[in-house]
Amino acid sequence: MNSRTFRKAALCVALGACIGAMAPLAMAQSTTGAIAGRASAGDQLVVTSKQTGISRTVTASGDGSYRLSQLPVGDYSLQVVRDGQPVGSPVAVNVLLGGTTAVNLGADGAVSNLDAIQVVGSRVVNRVDVFSIETATNVSREEIARIPVAQNLGSVAMLAPGVIGGNSSLGGLSFGGSSIAENSVYINGLNVTDFYRRQSYSTAPFAFYDQFQIKTGGYSVEFGRSTGGVINTVTRRGTNVFQGGVQATFLPEALSSNAEDHRYYDTDGAGNPVPVDYRASRDKSSLIKTNVWASGPVIEDKLFLFAMYEQRNSNSSFTNSSGSTWSDAESDNGFWGAKMDWAITDNHLLELLAFSDEGDTETTTYAYNWDADERGALSGISTNESGGDSGSITYTGRFGENFVAKAMWGTNRSQSVVYSPADQQCAQVIINSSYNAVYNSMGRPPVSCHPSTSASVVDHHDEREVGRLDFEWTLGSHQLRFGLDTETMTTDRTTFYPGPTGQRFTIYSYAPGAVLGNGATVPAGVTAVAMGRERADGGVFDTEASAWYIEDNWNITPYFLLNLGVRMDNLDYKTATGSSFIELDELVSPRVGFSWDMKGDGSTKLFGNAGRYYLPVNNIINYTFAGGLTDEYTYYALSGWTPATNPVTGTAYMQPVLGAQIGPVDDSGNIGVGDLRQSVDRDLEAMYQDEFILGFQTMINQAWSWGVNATYRDMTHAVDDMRINALCGVRHGNLWPIANPGEKVTLWGTTAQGCAQDGWVTIDTSKEGYITAGSNQIIGYKTPERTYKAVELQIDRAWDDKWAFNASYLWSKLEGNHEGPVNSDTNYGDTGMVQHWDHPANNERSGYLFNDHRHQVKLRGSYKLNEQWLFGATVMALSGGPITAFGVSWPGEDSVASYTSEGSGGGTGWICVSNCTAPNAQRVYEYSPRGAFGNLPWTYDLSANVTWTLPVEDVDMNIRFAVYNLLNDQEVINIRSRYEKQPGVYRTTFAEGTRWQSPRYGELVLTWNF
């Protein structure tokens, strides 16, 4: 057999589009892929799904180009038809999520760009996607099975260059220098991103997914409301073949290493050393989950179903960081998912998706003596409910050869409800320091049956309702894509104090005749008062988002693609009464990109793009600024204490006895949903980021490919709350409006605030708005800045049924004075309301930001020894982030940040070095740049797995054992950043750790497919 005959035979067996993990991909938010290329003008190209039998046809244009778009991911057969007769043998094609497989066909129906593809046994791999302008990483379920990847979306995303874990105290991922609150996650086109804080997302059972696409930049205008990255996924689906399987995953306690304990010393008010412990060495956990799935045709070639049920059982035991409490947490939850596809005809498809990640965890807490390793009395029980049900229905219709329409409607629900059996029965009681003498004489017994003195009961439910229309119209060398989407995001959240009356009681000592907060006088004979505070807030808040987009993918020549697009977003945020209080309209996002097939065979390309990306405000802003508040104080004479029994734990405690009410209820703190003109900048604009990418990619040979790209991101426009205390140049009480710091802000001013008259006042907050204490100097805020520069180099060796390898190195620099909508430096996660703009000193300095990790190295590979044994490994090496010191005051003003709480108030870049107890003007300060104290250590994570397949014919069963963090590296990843306790008094705990890498653990997975 000659070489050409052999190659044609191989091509007739299969053609895959298994684009390497480095390959940029097209189709943006699409849950589908495409096949495109060149053939003889007038030839028909017929593609047929091997899984479902669905067929589609398109005719090659006058210049020979053709495109088959909106294809569900999977395997296809591509046949050339000329004059009604097949030409040559059909070619097998595999379509990946979001990718375009380049298949150039000659007059004989065979593939003509053979040198640009790789024959892998019965597969052919196309290495470069010349139809794409974005940077993304594709990972399939099959690849995940070959390498050690923890079973969650975050671990999959971190395979992509430029994606790292954010502040571990807050969780989440950082894409390309962004904060953890700037990303989006989609499942089958349904947006499942948390819209309250934007730091989490809904997830289906992990084994329910089929393919993953991690977009790190350059995505098209079909995507919006994200300035970080995108995780795009599709789930498994039914086929014409009946299949099923069982998979059991074990993470036993015995296969986990112990975390390390850490101790260092702080000082008390007298300068004596006080130990600070972070204890975790006795923490234990185990997880067993089993999923059962079935797939097949309900009606052959017409109706298909995939369904899965997963049962999860987890148990964990852990102490708090000081080792004074012991908690046991248990969850026993069932997760499910289903996908149904109805091929009404070959040109009309209806898809239904439903899944649930709803679950609950019960935690029982006890007193604990660390030194004696003894558990004490039960102190409380709490239940945490999370997740919810989600689903979508999608219609795809092809009208003629060149027009495709898609319509989708879906809902995504989640909840966060934490409650205790004590909430209905037990009020919280706090002993004020004024009552300490009496309390000490009592022996300081427990004074409440509630386990907490501060936590509120939170009942939180979110629901997103999504509708979108997408169209695709091919006109010669133009592929026009346009559409619109709407989202209604509803938050139903209330918080209140526990107890039968909803009041939290604080016990004070008072002298008769003293005046209370409600203006009443303490009666004669009364020496102690119980103040009952009722505080409840919340409501139902809607945010309505809508957008339209239009995009032209224009093949100026057969080898040069120009992408031109624009997106227009509108956002409307509503109060608890349904009125609008923030409207962000006509947010225009232009984007342009190109891809040049440099050799004309799909083996080498130069690509680039530029675009603007907007980030919406989150619903936590609605809740915080636009809800009603009940905040009432009622005073009672304290008539003593009475013994009582905790109804939950059975332990004894002393209960306050309330006497007569003293004076009226003080309801002056109640706030209705009223005038918000001082809460939101009248001319508020959305946060946005501009991005520029230039890249190159080429094949080395039919197995290897490499690429390099450079990214520049620039964020100069922020949205956050900021302190205004001199709207009209005169000192007044603090306003905290949502505004654009460092820019012009328009608020309602009043004569009481020193304005000439009541009315709208516009100020330039880069120059004014804040008046310093003491010197009464009018100053402004620095303009927000965040720039990200990165160069990525990647080399990839495709899987050939023997081995695969991928390596990437990314150099990056992240600088500015503003991380984004969260503040990782101080572990502050209320998105859009952090301390960046609580004082002009907070963001006075620019420098290296929290997520600046200069070097990233990622390796992954797999090797098949024989039909029984397969090995895989991943390596991630990450240079440490900057160590930045935060002071508490600055030249000209004291108390910029809290002297007691390390997180409150942010901090400054000025450290007092002498005369620190003198008045501020006499002190000597030293400026401390960001990153002045060096960097955290490098972190390394080596993970490995081995898979053994049962050597029995017609039995598909294997056992996979994986070890994560094989070297048990437990380097510090988060630290305490507050340098001062008060001016000139330094914290010995500065730069000490608060979070460390997770210790080594093992995972055993048993899979049986039938």
Side-chain angles (χ1 to χ4, degrees), residues 162-238:
V163 182
I164 60 174
N167 182 318
S168 62
S169 299
L170 302 176
L173 299 171
S174 170
F175 283 67
S178 67
S179 74
I180 63 172
E182 300 175 49
N183 310 314
S184 293
V185 179
Y186 294 83
I187 300 177
N188 284 12
L190 177 66
N191 190 348
V192 296
T193 314
D194 159 41
F195 55 79
Y196 184 73
R197 281 193 173 92
R198 206 180 180 86
Q199 298 173 26
S200 61
Y201 44 83
S202 302
T203 179
F206 190 74
F208 192 58
Y209 296 104
D210 185 35
Q211 293 191 22
F212 310 85
Q213 187 184 43
I214 301 97
K215 298 174 181 290
T216 51
Y219 35 90
S220 89
V221 290
E222 189 176 356
F223 270 105
R225 307 175 194 131
S226 169
T227 50
V230 173
I231 303 175
N232 191 29
T233 70
V234 292
T235 62
R236 298 162 71 179
R237 61 200 309 146

Side-chain angles (χ1 to χ4, degrees), residues 724-865:
I724 301 293
N725 68 355
L727 183 62
C728 294
V730 178
R731 184 184 306 280
H732 55 74
N734 291 325
L735 302 178
W736 299 95
I738 297 296
N740 301 124
E743 301 183 31
K744 290 184 177 181
V745 172
T746 301
L747 300 172
W748 187 260
T750 66
T751 55
Q753 295 171 323
C755 302
Q757 59 187 13
D758 292 354
W760 292 108
V761 177
T762 299
I763 60 173
D764 183 350
T765 61
S766 68
K767 302 175 181 177
E768 56 185 324
Y770 185 83
I771 186 169
T772 61
S775 62
N776 291 326
Q777 182 182 1
I778 301 293
I779 58 175
Y781 292 81
K782 293 289 186 180
T783 302
E785 298 176 352
R786 187 183 75 192
T787 59
Y788 174 77
K789 306 167 187 175
V791 177
E792 171 195 326
L793 176 66
Q794 194 168 168
I795 187 167
D796 185 82
R797 205 273 183 185
W799 174 252
D800 62 354
D801 203 37
K802 187 66 176 178
W803 70 290
F805 177 74
N806 179 274
S808 69
Y809 168 73
L810 185 137
W811 174 93
S812 64
K813 182 182 286 188
L814 179 65
E815 298 175 290
N817 63 351
H818 177 61
E819 177 188 356
V822 299
N823 190 357
S824 297
D825 288 313
T826 58
N827 298 324
Y828 202 91
D830 281 347
T831 307
M833 297 185 298
V834 293
Q835 312 106 319
H836 290 312
W837 316 105
D838 286 5
H839 190 281
N842 286 343
N843 276 41
E844 181 186 21
R845 59 180 169 172
S846 290
Y848 303 135
L849 295 172
F850 182 89
N851 292 312
D852 177 53
H853 295 269
R854 198 59 47 85
H855 307 282
Q856 298 177 39
V857 178
K858 296 185 179 182
L859 311 174
R860 68 179 187 268
S862 52
Y863 175 73
K864 185 177 180 181
L865 180 64

Side-chain angles (χ1 to χ4, degrees), residues 530-602:
M531 180 193 74
R533 182 184 184 186
E534 179 183 359
R535 191 184 192 282
D537 59 12
V540 179
F541 308 91
D542 286 341
T543 295
E544 294 182 354
S546 63
W548 60 261
Y549 72 91
I550 185 168
E551 179 181 72
D552 182 12
N553 289 293
W554 178 19
N555 275 104
I556 298 177
T557 74
Y559 309 111
F560 191 90
L561 173 70
L562 181 65
N563 175 277
L564 301 169
V566 64
R567 177 184 177 92
M568 176 83 78
D569 277 278
N570 297 284
L571 301 162
D572 187 2
Y573 299 83
K574 299 182 182 296
T575 69
T577 61
S579 60
S580 298
F581 79 104
I582 296 179
E583 293 184 79
L584 302 174
D585 297 328
E586 299 181 354
L587 307 180
V588 180
S589 303
R591 298 177 200 171
V592 59
F594 74 93
S595 177
W596 176 23
D597 183 356
M598 300 177 72
K599 295 183 179 180
D601 61 359

Side-chain angles (χ1 to χ4, degrees), residues 710-734:
T711 300
Y712 177 77
R713 287 179 160 186
D714 185 15
M715 191 278 291
T716 59
H717 199 78
V719 175
D720 214 304
D721 69 334
M722 63 183 302
R723 183 195 306 217
I724 301 293
N725 68 355
L727 183 62
C728 294
V730 178
R731 184 184 306 280
H732 55 74
N734 291 325

Side-chain angles (χ1 to χ4, degrees), residues 106-176:
D108 60 354
V111 174
S112 62
N113 58 333
L114 185 61
D115 291 337
I117 56 179
Q118 174 199 6
V119 179
V120 182
S122 61
R123 297 176 64 88
V124 176
V125 178
N126 179 19
R127 305 302 300 141
V128 178
D129 185 354
V130 296
F131 294 91
S132 170
I133 65 165
E134 68 180 7
T135 55
T137 297
N138 261 48
V139 186
S140 67
R141 186 168 54 91
E142 289 77 15
E143 182 176 2
I144 293 295
R146 295 194 298 263
I147 58 178
V149 179
Q151 296 184 14
N152 58 75
L153 289 183
S155 295
V156 176
M158 287 181 63
L159 295 174
V163 182
I164 60 174
N167 182 318
S168 62
S169 299
L170 302 176
L173 299 171
S174 170
F175 283 67

Side-chain angles (χ1 to χ4, degrees), residues 270-292:
N272 301 310
V274 178
V276 178
D277 287 304
Y278 282 88
R279 288 170 165 162
S281 60
R282 297 174 188 172
D283 295 356
K284 303 293 182 182
S285 65
S286 64
L287 169 68
I288 300 175
K289 61 180 181 179
T290 305
N291 72 70
V292 180

Side-chain angles (χ1 to χ4, degrees), residues 509-529 662:
S509 286
Y510 272 113
V515 179
L516 301 175
N518 62 352
T521 301
V522 177
V526 175
T527 59
V529 172
I662 305 173

